[in-house]
Amino acid sequence: MAKILCLQLLTYGVLIGPCLAQNCPLLGPAYPPPTDPVSSSFLAAAETFDGLLKLDSRIDRQRVSFAVQVYSSSSTAPMYSHYSTAPFLNTSKVGPDTLFRIHSISKVMTVYAIISKLGHKYWDEPVTKYVPELAVRPQRDGIGSPDWSEVTLGGLASQMSGISRDYALGDISTAFTEMPFSRPLNQSELVRCGSTGFKPCTREEAIKLILSTYPVSAASSTPNYSNMAFQILAYAIETITQTPFPDLVRAQLIQPLNLTRTFLTNPGNDTNAVIYNGWDLDFGDEAPTAGYYQSVSDLTTLGRSIISSTLMPAISTRKWLKPVTHTSSLVFSLGRPWEILRQTIPISTSPSTSTSRVTDIYTKQGGGDTYTSLIALSPDHNIGISITSAGPSSFSSGMEIIRDAFMDIWLPAAEQAAREQARRDLAGTYMYTSSIDNSSSLVTVAIETNQPGLFVSKMVSNGTDMLALIAEYQQRGEKGTQLGMWLYPAVGLTEGNRTAFRGVLGLVGRPAAADCGSWAEGDRLRWGNYPVDLLIFETEGDGRAERVEVPVLGRSLERA
């Protein structure tokens, strides 16, 4: 019977994929995110991380004040915090509520406010529909003027608009009226607003300057960083919502999250702030790109609300935490407005571990001459880091050290914590027996050394070893091999205490192919549309699974 069924399955091509697929993890978490913020893995990470922040000589503690918090969605208190007050700055002691400028993290707040209010439905709309001043006849030809009809709201939010970086900020003509190497400028061509030493540009002045800029590329062709994109985006959203953009941010973010230490304009000489050069720079209408002020505790609250989907449906968060475009780097992509770092992390902190998997970290850095900040989120683990800093020179090098340490120390710790949690709560043997018809089923789930995911080593029903049967088909008579199935969380498929996992079929001991074809093999094997690779764990109040449902068998198996 088995060989006849094998020939039929091969005839219909349903086993070609599983013959090729190995345990290359599906993109996303290898296990449910860790829920214990004081697990041994996290405590060890905190100790190691703290030593680095206190002792690494590359971090300029004498001249730069900074605050750091590492947090989880499972706790309202940070898992780790560190505050450093630089003697050079002669400011009040830095703590969780100390204000800093956060510069371009303002872009995250801008997009967050938009999505929480409007969802994702406007991203493909042309900006000219909502900012009609941009629909005027271009000043130059297609090389010298952007085709604004092709620029979408989503392109503005994701650095794919093709437009200039800035229309005023940093323009040389704000400092010099003539240059020996350049063309002479008419008085009307000199930039006299929107930069250091000048008042902010009015909307009319800003639009006039924006229309005079050259495109960097055609829209939607290659990423290019643009600050002015977010000012234009805010203008468009004001048209859509008929609400001043600062009021929208307050209503959508500041009030519901109780961000009492977040300011959209200069808070003045706040008594708990690191006030240094650049503190008073007024961005005016360009504030949605880089003008906001925030404490590290409010930045943490903001980040935790994102990974927890506090302010919007989980589907909106899942759409948001995805790349829009690659860059020329193999490990760096862009979202709206995320700067996404693709990392490989070891599947275990055990010294014997030689296997790693890919995870994406959603970051945004804000940087000026004297203030630097960072938010970084790991959706696979529901953890994040917030960093705010100020000092006489950019803290970008120190920021990179702390960011990289977060990825090198905290991500492996989170992976290990999730792995141990899955071993405790999900691994085990599950059985079904019926005295009525003498039927039975058994599934064994384990955590295997040097393998990510949950390993299904045995699946037997009514005396038939299902994995061995499929292995016979897969190998076409080849002996001495074992087929296994590795389970990964089906992200978002949770109902109450029931959580779905999907499997990746492969041969034990064989490495995955470089092109990682497991994403194309899910749900290939079905019986009357009941998937062979679907298991649904049902947990109790302590998180421990007491039964597993196997739809293809039509049975729920109890923990043995």
Side-chain angles (χ1 to χ4, degrees):
M1 174 65 182
K3 290 184 178 180
I4 295 173
L5 182 57
C6 173
L7 291 174
Q8 291 175 337
L9 291 171
L10 288 172
T11 299
Y12 287 107
V14 296
L15 280 171
I16 295 175
C19 292
L20 302 176
Q22 290 300 117
N23 185 23
C24 183
L26 301 172
L27 180 62
Y31 318 96
T35 57
D36 182 6
V38 293
S39 69
S40 59
S41 297
F42 283 140
L43 293 176
E47 183 178 357
T48 303
F49 192 65
D50 189 62
L52 180 139
L53 262 61
K54 291 178 178 177
L55 300 176
D56 195 311
S57 60
R58 297 171 297 172
I59 299 175
D60 188 354
R61 296 170 195 80
Q62 295 300 308
R63 299 177 357 123
V64 177
S65 289
F66 61 93
V68 179
Q69 289 187 351
V70 179
Y71 53 91
S72 163
S73 66
S74 60
S75 174
T76 56
M79 292 193 292
Y80 173 83
S81 58
H82 179 90
Y83 311 104
S84 181
T85 307
F88 177 86
L89 294 180
N90 193 28
T91 60
S92 59
K93 187 176 181 179
V94 172
D97 296 323
T98 302
L99 284 181
F100 295 81
R101 294 204 78 142
I102 58 170
H103 283 297
S104 282
I105 292 181
S106 306
K107 295 178 173 69
V108 171
M109 294 183 63
T110 292
V111 175
Y112 192 5
I114 293 169
I115 297 174
S116 66
K117 176 67 175 179
L118 301 172
H120 296 266
K121 62 183 177 181
Y122 286 93
W123 289 139
D124 290 330
E125 295 277 8
V127 68
T128 50
K129 184 175 179 179
Y130 303 106
V131 187
E133 301 102 310
L134 298 177
V136 300
R137 184 180 180 87
Q139 297 183 9
R140 310 180 190 95
D141 63 14
I143 293 177
S145 292
D147 185 344
W148 290 101
S149 68
E150 294 183 346
V151 176
T152 65
L153 302 191
L156 293 170
S158 61
Q159 308 294 11
M160 287 293 288
S161 63
I163 64 175
S164 176
R165 181 185 186 93
D166 295 291
Y167 59 85
L169 188 65
D171 192 285
I172 298 172
S173 72
T174 60
F176 302 96
T177 57
E178 58 182 43
M179 296 293 287
F181 61 81
S182 66
R183 66 190 296 168
L185 296 178
N186 299 324
Q187 193 66 28
S188 62
E189 293 177 310
L190 297 173
V191 177
R192 288 295 175 263
C193 64
S195 194
T196 304
F198 295 91
K199 63 177 178 61
C201 296
T202 64
R203 175 168 176 151
E204 182 181 359
E205 290 171 327
I207 293 294
K208 180 181 177 181
L209 289 168
I210 288 169
L211 288 171
S212 73
T213 61
Y214 279 71
V216 176
S217 68
S220 300
S221 60
T222 188
N224 177 74
Y225 199 89
S226 174
N227 287 313
M228 71 183 195
F230 289 82
Q231 179 176 354
I232 299 169
L233 179 61
Y235 286 155
I237 299 304
E238 287 182 332
T239 300
I240 293 169
T241 62
Q242 293 296 292
T243 303
F245 198 75
D247 292 349
L248 182 74
V249 177
R250 292 187 188 97
Q252 296 301 126
L253 302 183
I254 293 177
Q255 293 170 3
L257 293 176
N258 194 29
L259 302 179
T260 59
R261 299 296 289 164
T262 298
F263 298 88
L264 308 184
T265 57
N266 193 307
N269 293 323
D270 191 287
T271 57
N272 188 10
V274 180
I275 299 175
Y276 197 63
N277 297 341
W279 177 263
D280 294 326
L281 179 60
D282 187 353
F283 279 80
D285 284 357
E286 208 171 0
T289 197
Y292 300 160
Y293 301 74
Q294 197 166 54
S295 68
V296 74
S297 60
D298 271 13
L299 184 55
T300 289
T301 299
L302 189 85
R304 186 186 294 114
S305 75
I306 294 172
I307 54 178
S308 303
S309 295
T310 302
L311 298 181
M312 55 193 185
I315 179 59
S316 288
T317 304
R318 294 196 297 270
K319 285 182 179 180
W320 189 21
L321 298 181
K322 289 291 183 293
V324 172
T325 181
H326 298 301
T327 69
S328 55
S329 167
L330 289 174
V331 297
F332 192 87
S333 300
L334 294 175
R336 297 187 176 112
W338 300 111
E339 295 154 2
I340 306 164
L341 300 174
R342 172 151 281 199
Q343 299 291 305
T344 55
I345 56 172
I347 64 163
S348 168
T349 54
S350 169
S352 63
T353 296
S354 59
T355 305
S356 61
R357 71 175 187 88
V358 172
T359 188
D360 292 333
I361 312 302
Y362 287 76
T363 81
K364 187 70 189 80
Q365 183 165 319
D369 290 337
T370 54
Y371 292 90
T372 308
S373 55
L374 178 81
I375 181 174
L377 307 174
S378 174
D380 281 4
H381 307 99
N382 281 355
I383 66 170
I385 186 170
S386 303
I387 310 172
T388 53
S389 74
S393 60
S394 174
F395 193 50
S396 59
S397 59
M399 188 72 67
E400 290 175 2
I401 293 166
I402 299 173
R403 180 201 67 193
D404 291 349
F406 169 74
M407 294 190 291
D408 292 342
I409 296 170
W410 284 97
L411 295 186
E415 187 81 352
Q416 180 67 21
R419 184 176 171 90
E420 290 305 315
Q421 178 178 280
R423 188 193 305 275
R424 180 193 70 222
D425 293 345
L426 304 177
T429 296
Y430 299 82
M431 300 180 66
Y432 167 90
T433 57
S434 172
S435 58
I436 298 175
D437 58 4
N438 294 321
S439 61
S440 64
S441 297
L442 180 147
V443 171
T444 298
V445 179
I447 299 288
E448 292 286 300
T449 302
N450 271 333
Q451 289 290 330
L454 289 162
F455 179 60
V456 179
S457 60
K458 185 175 290 186
M459 182 182 288
V460 178
S461 186
N462 297 334
T464 299
D465 187 334
M466 295 177 65
L467 294 175
L469 180 64
I470 296 173
E472 185 178 350
Y473 309 153
Q474 189 173 19
Q475 289 301 302
R476 304 181 188 183
E478 189 176 319
K479 302 297 182 181
T481 57
Q482 178 190 357
L483 184 79
M485 184 165 66
W486 290 267
L487 299 175
Y488 295 93
V491 176
L493 298 186
T494 298
E495 286 289 340
N497 64 342
R498 299 169 66 246
T499 300
F501 284 70
R502 281 293 190 147
V504 174
L505 289 164
L507 296 177
V508 176
R510 290 196 181 180
D515 61 357
C516 190
S518 55
W519 67 270
E521 298 304 328
D523 207 39
R524 185 182 283 272
L525 288 175
R526 299 176 309 282
W527 171 251
N529 277 330
Y530 293 104
V532 172
D533 62 1
L534 171 63
L535 274 69
I536 304 168
F537 289 89
E538 184 176 331
T539 58
E540 300 296 330
D542 60 357
R544 180 177 168 85
E546 292 302 326
R547 61 195 58 83
V548 62
E549 178 186 346
V550 187
V552 74
L553 303 181
R555 293 169 179 171
S556 287
L557 287 61
E558 300 288 330
R559 182 184 285 276

